[in-house]
Amino acid sequence: MKGRGEFLLEIGCEEIPAGALPKATGELKQILEKHLGAQGLVEASDVETFSSPRRLVAISHAVRLKQEDVTREVTGPPKSVAFDDVGQPTRAAESFAEKQGLPVSKLAIIKTPRGEYLAATQKISGRPAREILSEILPQAILELTFPRTMYWTSANGPRFARPIRWIVALLDGKVIPFTLAGVRAGAATVGHRFLGKAAIPVRGPQDYLAKLKKNFVIARAQERRQKIEKEIHTLVAKKGWRVHPDPALVELVTNLNEYPSILAGNFDPSYLELPDEILITVMRGHQKYFAVENAAKELQPHFLAVINLDSDRAGLVRAGHERVLRARFADARFFWETDQKCRLADYLPKLAQITYESRLGSYSDKVARMRSLARWIAEQWFNSGLHQADIPAADRAAELAKCDLATEMVREFTELQGIVGGLYAQAQGEPEDVATAVYDHYRPVGLDDPIPRNVTGCAVALADKFDSLVACFAVGLIPTGSSDPFALRRAALGVVKIILDRQVPLSLSMAVSAAAKTLASHKPKISTSAEVEKQVLEFLLDRARFILRERDGFAYDEVNAAFAAGADDLLDAKQRIAALKSIRHTRNFAPLASAFKRIRKILAKAGPPGSWRLGAVRADLFREDAERALHSAAQRVAEKAGAHKRAGRYREALEVIAELRPTVDKFFDDVLVMADEEEIRKNRLTLLAELLREFSTVADFSEMAPSDAK
């Protein structure tokens, strides 16, 4: 493309943590497009970024080599001020001309809405792109953010995820000159740490990618992922295996290796006596291995490892991996056998030595609160007719839920907390319902994670999450944009997901209040205010809004309208949202929603209700047939809609309410609400207020988006 060239930037580092690469790659694209776009060097989305453990890369095939020239008109003083009575330039004109670097004779007179003014036309020549890039690239690189950064030159030097060792910066084959952290930008990249050359001259993006591949670096993550998945598929198909599904591990090993290859290893089949969860966690968490299963999904004594080499012809790497895994499994077996020498409940006293939070006491204190809440929740469900709820089982599961925190297994493999407790409870003969509840009580840990498998597990999980939310809010540990050390967002999401997915009845306000009372009556006996409980409720409702919109597909105004009518019972609120969604585009509903919005605005302008509201609507003050008709129709519709609401038939209730549309339209056509006569005006306002109150119990129609009012 004429006047454009190819751009290449590579930031070469020590190995960047795998988890930081995807975010940094996206940030690099945004930052460069912002800076280059502001300078007029690229169009939108013209920069591609990718990364490997030792490099962050940006390329563009269409960067302007020079900014476009810009012509602009600069307005000076009015003509009447710039020239005297005989047409000679005044000092004002001469000063303006000097400032623009022009003689007065080169100035022009332009007409504006304010009159005639002196003006100068300036032509600003565009700067060369290499000159601009040499200024903005060091700044752009240091704008990248990472969870943790380090300095390696001096305490006052630049900070980055890892030390920067080389920089490639080229435009149209020429080096963009700049220095950052003592590293001068050049035209030589570095190959694979073990297999590639230490200095590889490059001329541009295509040359760069081709030479890296020859030096055992696959720069694009997607290509590395495809290589991993293809080699895994080929290997397991050949051996008749299947890989235990683990998309997150695929993502991790993709960002851990610059030239990934797959090898298969074996371990002693006797280790299969340990639970699968422990074996898989050891393989995955510590060694980044993929577990192998047979067609029946039974774990096999094999594993797949991703190595940062082209091959392992002599088998030395495989032997090393097998040796390390053997030691890990031996440790796990020792922990399993040692922990089993005493009952799970025997670890309960040790929880007093493990701090939950300095102001909130130990895990022993948290367990006491959880037991109280779990019993309360199970009792609520049982009394509401959910006879699967088992109060003693919920109490026992809550008692055991955190005991595994004191075990050797969880101290070594912290990601197994809860799971280990469930496995130990099962191995020690606890009831299946209790063991499963202990195993599941941290669930769900994400929007796509399953909820606990039984009602007892749901009760314990909710008890844990409600206690965490109320207790942390009570001592000011409220999540911020960048900090949520106690995973309260995840806890709130879990509360909402359990209630909606298990379809269990539970009042959010009562549950929060119960958690607050438990916190005040159990160690360390912290009292909460009504404001704290309100904050927790709103926090929960924010998560509920998120789930209902992002997962369940409801529109934001549908959720807002239903929540405005009440959301303490999330199951009921979701049913009302679904009814609203099903009827919102019908002939009568959208115009009625507009009418309700109009009613709310009228009432807001009328002032505080105490200044105009009558005790009840008075029929003797009606002056127009339209207001009599509306009052009569509202009473009739309220009776019919009320019967539907009490039966949970919310769509039918909304359909009946929508029948009011012609009567409401007629009212606004024929009736002046803000009449001069005070009593008549107040009566009409009271009629509208009653209408709004009566028919906003399913949803507040005034919250519906105006675009839907057709």
Side-chain angles (χ1 to χ4, degrees), residues 487-566:
L488 299 184
R489 290 188 183 90
R490 187 169 70 192
L493 182 144
V495 167
V496 174
K497 197 168 185 295
I498 288 171
I499 292 172
L500 293 180
D501 292 5
R502 177 61 67 172
Q503 297 189 345
V504 285
L506 189 66
S507 162
L508 291 180
S509 61
M510 288 178 64
V512 169
S513 179
K517 289 176 183 176
T518 302
L519 183 63
S521 60
H522 291 70
K523 287 178 61 179
K525 295 189 176 182
I526 296 174
S527 297
T528 59
S529 64
E531 181 60 30
V532 166
E533 293 184 34
K534 182 180 176 182
Q535 287 179 323
V536 175
L537 276 173
E538 190 52 47
F539 190 72
L540 286 163
L541 292 178
D542 279 344
R543 294 295 92 189
R545 291 184 184 96
F546 174 80
I547 289 177
L548 290 165
R549 291 196 306 260
E550 300 301 320
R551 187 193 71 170
D552 297 339
F554 294 113
Y556 79 95
D557 58 339
E558 293 164 355
V559 175
N560 290 346
F563 274 33

Side-chain angles (χ1 to χ4, degrees), residues 158-212:
R159 299 181 70 91
F160 206 67
R162 290 293 183 270
I164 297 173
R165 296 306 189 199
W166 75 92
I167 299 173
V168 176
L170 298 173
L171 178 63
D172 202 30
K174 297 179 181 178
V175 172
I176 301 166
F178 69 89
T179 299
L180 177 64
V183 178
R184 185 183 299 275
T189 185
V190 176
H192 189 283
R193 186 177 286 278
F194 308 117
L195 306 174
K197 295 179 181 178
I200 307 165
V202 294
R203 296 187 301 273
Q206 298 306 319
D207 178 56
Y208 166 81
L209 290 168
K211 286 184 175 177
L212 276 185

Side-chain angles (χ1 to χ4, degrees), residues 188-352:
T189 185
V190 176
H192 189 283
R193 186 177 286 278
F194 308 117
L195 306 174
K197 295 179 181 178
I200 307 165
V202 294
R203 296 187 301 273
Q206 298 306 319
D207 178 56
Y208 166 81
L209 290 168
K211 286 184 175 177
L212 276 185
K213 193 163 286 189
K214 287 181 180 178
N215 282 270
F216 300 96
V217 175
I218 302 174
R220 286 189 170 95
Q222 185 58 32
E223 291 182 32
R224 297 197 301 275
R225 185 196 311 276
Q226 290 171 353
K227 186 175 189 294
I228 290 169
E229 291 175 341
K230 181 180 178 181
E231 290 188 14
I232 287 177
H233 177 76
T234 301
L235 197 153
V236 298
K238 180 180 178 181
K239 294 182 176 289
W241 301 338
R242 66 186 299 277
V243 174
H244 180 77
D246 198 337
L249 183 56
V250 174
E251 173 82 7
L252 181 63
V253 295
T254 295
N255 289 317
L256 279 173
N257 300 278
E258 291 202 312
Y259 197 83
S261 298
I262 308 298
L263 63 77
N266 308 297
F267 60 84
D268 188 336
S270 68
Y271 288 117
L272 293 174
E273 296 171 358
L274 291 171
D276 288 359
E277 295 91 338
I278 292 174
L279 296 176
I280 292 171
T281 298
V282 172
M283 285 188 276
R284 184 196 192 283
H286 286 262
Q287 305 306 127
K288 311 299 183 289
Y289 298 160
F290 291 90
V292 172
E293 302 171 339
N294 61 16
K297 298 185 179 181
E298 297 168 334
L299 211 60
Q300 299 298 293
H302 315 292
F303 65 89
L304 300 180
V306 181
I307 60 173
N308 194 28
L309 296 169
D310 59 332
S311 65
D312 178 32
R313 296 177 184 84
L316 297 177
V317 177
R318 184 189 71 247
H321 281 291
E322 289 176 343
R323 184 170 58 253
V324 172
L325 184 60
R326 184 165 59 248
R328 287 287 186 183
F329 278 168
D331 288 344
R333 175 183 279 170
F334 173 78
F335 297 145
W336 175 265
E337 293 173 350
T338 300
D339 289 341
Q340 293 286 359
K341 291 178 181 178
C342 61
R343 306 285 297 176
L344 187 60
D346 294 338
Y347 289 98
L348 194 58
K350 295 182 180 180
L351 294 182

Side-chain angles (χ1 to χ4, degrees), residues 440-691:
D440 289 348
H441 84 277
Y442 284 103
R443 292 179 175 178
V445 295
L447 192 58
D448 299 323
D449 197 52
I451 63 172
R453 289 166 287 175
N454 60 31
V455 172
T456 299
C458 289
V460 177
L462 287 172
D464 188 13
K465 292 166 174 54
F466 273 114
D467 174 70
S468 295
L469 286 163
V470 173
C472 288
F473 270 70
V475 296
L477 292 173
I478 301 173
T480 64
S482 60
S483 176
D484 186 11
F486 285 82
L488 299 184
R489 290 188 183 90
R490 187 169 70 192
L493 182 144
V495 167
V496 174
K497 197 168 185 295
I498 288 171
I499 292 172
L500 293 180
D501 292 5
R502 177 61 67 172
Q503 297 189 345
V504 285
L506 189 66
S507 162
L508 291 180
S509 61
M510 288 178 64
V512 169
S513 179
K517 289 176 183 176
T518 302
L519 183 63
S521 60
H522 291 70
K523 287 178 61 179
K525 295 189 176 182
I526 296 174
S527 297
T528 59
S529 64
E531 181 60 30
V532 166
E533 293 184 34
K534 182 180 176 182
Q535 287 179 323
V536 175
L537 276 173
E538 190 52 47
F539 190 72
L540 286 163
L541 292 178
D542 279 344
R543 294 295 92 189
R545 291 184 184 96
F546 174 80
I547 289 177
L548 290 165
R549 291 196 306 260
E550 300 301 320
R551 187 193 71 170
D552 297 339
F554 294 113
Y556 79 95
D557 58 339
E558 293 164 355
V559 175
N560 290 346
F563 274 33
D568 196 50
D569 182 340
L570 289 177
L571 291 180
D572 181 74
K574 185 175 179 179
Q575 290 173 351
R576 288 186 280 113
I577 296 168
L580 195 58
K581 183 181 183 71
S582 69
I583 197 177
R584 71 176 299 174
H585 295 299
T586 56
R587 182 175 60 87
N588 282 332
F589 184 78
L592 185 65
S594 281
F596 271 73
K597 191 181 291 288
R598 182 178 179 183
I599 291 171
R600 187 170 290 282
K601 288 180 179 178
I602 290 171
L603 296 177
K605 288 181 180 179
S611 66
W612 51 259
R613 191 178 182 98
L614 299 178
V617 178
R618 289 173 52 187
D620 63 298
L621 292 176
F622 291 150
R623 294 292 180 268
E624 305 290 344
D625 290 341
E627 57 187 327
R628 294 187 186 92
L630 180 58
H631 184 236
S632 176
Q635 289 179 319
R636 183 178 66 255
V637 167
E639 185 177 346
K640 292 171 63 178
H644 287 307
K645 286 187 289 185
R646 287 189 294 273
R649 298 189 297 268
Y650 292 120
R651 179 186 170 90
E652 290 83 350
L654 290 173
E655 288 173 338
V656 170
I657 295 170
E659 293 174 3
L660 280 172
R661 180 263 179 108
T663 312
V664 173
D665 288 350
K666 181 70 172 170
F667 175 86
F668 281 121
D669 287 342
D670 295 357
V671 177
L672 176 63
V673 177
M674 304 304 287
D676 291 335
E677 299 91 337
E678 183 180 0
E679 280 199 318
I680 292 175
R681 181 176 67 251
K682 288 183 176 181
N683 197 51
R684 288 172 179 173
L685 289 169
T686 302
L687 172 62
L688 293 180
E690 288 299 310
L691 189 73

Side-chain angles (χ1 to χ4, degrees), residues 8-9 25 28 48-52 55-59 205 208-209 212 218-222 224:
L8 167 65
L9 172 68
T25 305
L28 182 60
E48 179 193 2
T49 56
F50 44 89
S51 60
S52 74
R55 63 204 80 222
L56 290 166
V57 185
I59 62 173
Y208 166 81
L209 290 168
L212 276 185
I218 302 174
R220 286 189 170 95
Q222 185 58 32
R224 297 197 301 275

